Amino acid sequence: RFPYAERRVQYGVERGDRNTVNILVAMETKPYQRVWLEEAAPGEMFIYKEGKAEREDVQNADIILGNVSPKLISTGDKLKWLQTNSAGVDGYIHGCLPKEAVLTNATGAYGLAISEYMVAVWLELLKKLHLYRDVQRTGKWCDLGQVRSAWNSTVLVLGLGDIGGEFAKRAKALGARVIGVRRTGTDKPDFVDEIIHTDKLDKYLPQADCVAITLPGTTATKGMFDAERMAKMKDGAILLNVGRGMIVDTDALCAALENGKLAGAGVDVTDPEPLPADHPLWKMENAVITPHISGGYHLQETHDRIVRIMAENLKRFLAGEPLRNVVDFSTGYRKL
C-alpha cells in the first residue's frame, strides 16, 4: 500500500511490513478535520489528546501533530517527525527532539488572519481610533485633530514569509511603498517595491513610516530592536510586532512611546509574556496591546489550514516524499 522501504530510508521508521504508525494528535481538532487526517493515513493509529498529551503518549508516538512542551518531547525516543501547529518553533530547535527526527511547522496557515490583524491595528493607530475609544468612555464629544494615511507611506516589512508577505500585499493595495527585508535572496515579489537584506536595515529605518516585524524568535533576532535601533527609526513611525516579544526591548519601546520618538506601537507579542499587570507599557496612550491572539484558532480558516498542512504532510511522510515546511535547526527558519 505504501512504499515502506523508501520511508525507512528517508525517515527511519523501522518496523515490519504492516505495523501501524502511532500518530499523536496533540492539538484541538473538529470531527471533520479528523476525517481529513485519517483519510491521509488510512489504517494508522491515531491518538487524540488535544493539549493533554502525557509522557506515555509521547514515548509511544512515531509522529506528533501539534505542539507539546519541549520538556515532554525530550522523552520521546521513538519520535521520527514533529509537525507543529505554530509557525514559530523556537522551543524545539535546541536539542529536545531525537537526533534524526524531522521538524516541520505550520507556515502557510497564519498569513490571512495575522496580516488582517496587522492592517487593523495599523489603521487604528493612523486614524486615532484607539484614542477615540478612550474618549468614548468619558462621554465627551471632541475632535482629536489630524490623522495619517497608509497611502503614500513607506512600510518596512521584516520577514517576507507567509505572514509578512500577506501583510505586504495589503499594505501595497492601500497605496504604500513597501520594502521587504530578508536574510538572503533577491527575488522581488510584485507586491514589494524593493528588497533589502538585514544588513541594510539601519540604512532604511529612517525612511519607514511603519516597521512591521513578522520574524521568528531566534538567537539572531533576539533584542534586534533595542534602544539604539529604535533611535534610528523615523520620528513619528509606527512599530508593529507579531513575531516574538523577545525581538523588541520592551523598556526601550516604552521610552520611545513616552518621549514621542514613535507615534504608536501595535504589539501582539511582548517580553515578558504575559505582560505583567503593573508593566508601564499597559499605560502608554499610543500602545495597542493584544495577548498573542492574532493567530491561533481565532479565525476558523486558520485552524482548517493548519490541519490541511498536517494531512498533506502525513501523505508525504507515508509515501516517503519530502515534507512541506521542514525547519532548519541551525537557523530556526523553514528550509527554502
Side-chain angles (χ1 to χ4, degrees):
R1 192 162 56 92
F2 297 115
Y4 291 108
E6 290 88 345
R7 203 180 339 156
R8 283 198 296 270
V9 168
Q10 181 154 358
Y11 299 114
V13 179
E14 295 293 347
R15 63 179 208 266
D17 286 342
R18 195 57 208 104
N19 290 342
T20 57
V21 174
N22 291 323
I23 304 168
L24 171 62
V25 182
M27 61 175 283
E28 176 187 342
T29 50
K30 298 180 181 296
Y32 70 89
Q33 293 170 333
R34 294 186 179 189
V35 171
W36 294 349
L37 294 174
E38 292 174 18
E39 286 181 344
E44 308 299 358
M45 178 66 70
F46 284 85
I47 303 166
Y48 295 93
K49 284 303 178 91
E50 304 202 345
K52 299 178 181 179
E54 299 176 357
R55 182 183 296 265
E56 183 178 0
D57 301 317
V58 172
Q59 290 176 337
N60 290 331
D62 298 299
I63 298 169
I64 296 178
L65 306 179
N67 292 26
V68 175
S69 78
K71 185 176 181 180
L72 197 56
I73 286 282
S74 65
T75 69
D77 294 337
K78 283 183 59 181
L79 186 66
K80 300 299 183 291
W81 164 40
L82 169 64
Q83 165 72 61
T84 67
N85 54 264
S86 60
V89 293
D90 33 307
Y92 301 107
I93 59 174
H94 302 298
C96 70
L97 297 179
K99 185 177 180 181
E100 301 302 324
V102 180
L103 174 64
T104 58
N105 68 11
T107 294
Y110 291 95
L112 172 64
I114 298 181
S115 65
E116 288 186 345
Y117 165 92
M118 295 169 73
V119 170
V121 174
W122 181 31
L123 293 176
E124 178 181 7
L125 291 164
L126 287 173
K127 304 304 179 185
K128 299 184 178 178
L129 300 183
H130 58 304
L131 301 180
Y132 280 110
R133 177 68 179 185
D134 292 345
V135 172
Q136 176 183 323
R137 300 183 191 283
T138 71
K140 294 179 181 179
W141 186 277
C142 65
D143 189 325
L144 298 179
Q146 285 192 318
V147 296
R148 297 159 62 188
S149 179
W151 174 80
N152 208 30
S153 65
T154 297
V155 177
L156 203 61
V157 183
L158 278 72
L160 279 182
D162 176 43
I163 296 168
E166 290 297 317
F167 175 67
K169 291 176 186 177
R170 287 157 176 76
K172 185 67 176 173
L174 289 170
R177 173 176 173 250
V178 179
I179 302 170
V181 185
R182 281 180 167 160
R183 293 177 302 125
T184 60
T186 57
D187 291 344
K188 187 182 78 61
D190 292 341
F191 51 82
V192 170
D193 294 284
E194 190 175 353
I195 290 287
I196 65 168
H197 288 166
T198 311
D199 60 358
K200 298 288 181 60
L201 176 60
D202 289 344
K203 178 181 176 181
Y204 280 74
L205 278 175
Q207 303 178 29
D209 300 288
C210 175
V211 175
I213 302 170
T214 69
L215 300 171
T218 68
T219 54
T221 62
K222 184 175 182 180
M224 176 182 280
F225 275 79
D226 55 12
E228 182 179 355
R229 182 151 273 150
M230 286 186 209
K232 296 175 182 177
M233 293 175 65
K234 184 176 182 178
D235 290 346
I238 288 173
L239 179 69
L240 304 176
N241 186 15
V242 295
R244 285 291 184 265
M246 62 183 277
I247 298 171
V248 176
D249 183 314
T250 312
D251 292 338
L253 178 60
C254 287
L257 289 168
E258 190 169 27
N259 65 27
K261 174 64 179 179
L262 298 183
V267 294
D268 188 48
V269 289
T270 61
D271 184 23
E273 189 173 303
L275 192 66
D278 60 350
H279 198 285
L281 186 61
W282 289 113
K283 305 295 184 182
M284 294 294 158
E285 184 181 62
N286 283 344
V288 175
I289 306 166
T290 50
H292 209 146
I293 50 75
S294 63
Y297 306 150
H298 298 88
L299 183 67
Q300 185 58 49
E301 178 61 21
T302 302
H303 196 181
D304 288 348
R305 289 183 181 190
I306 293 168
V307 180
R308 288 191 195 108
I309 290 169
M310 291 178 170
E312 179 185 343
N313 265 348
L314 269 176
K315 288 182 180 179
R316 290 173 177 239
F317 182 92
L318 295 172
E321 297 173 355
L323 298 181
R324 176 180 170 186
N325 294 346
V326 174
V327 174
D328 184 338
F329 286 96
S330 66
T331 64
Y333 287 85
R334 179 184 53 148
K335 292 180 181 178
L336 299 177

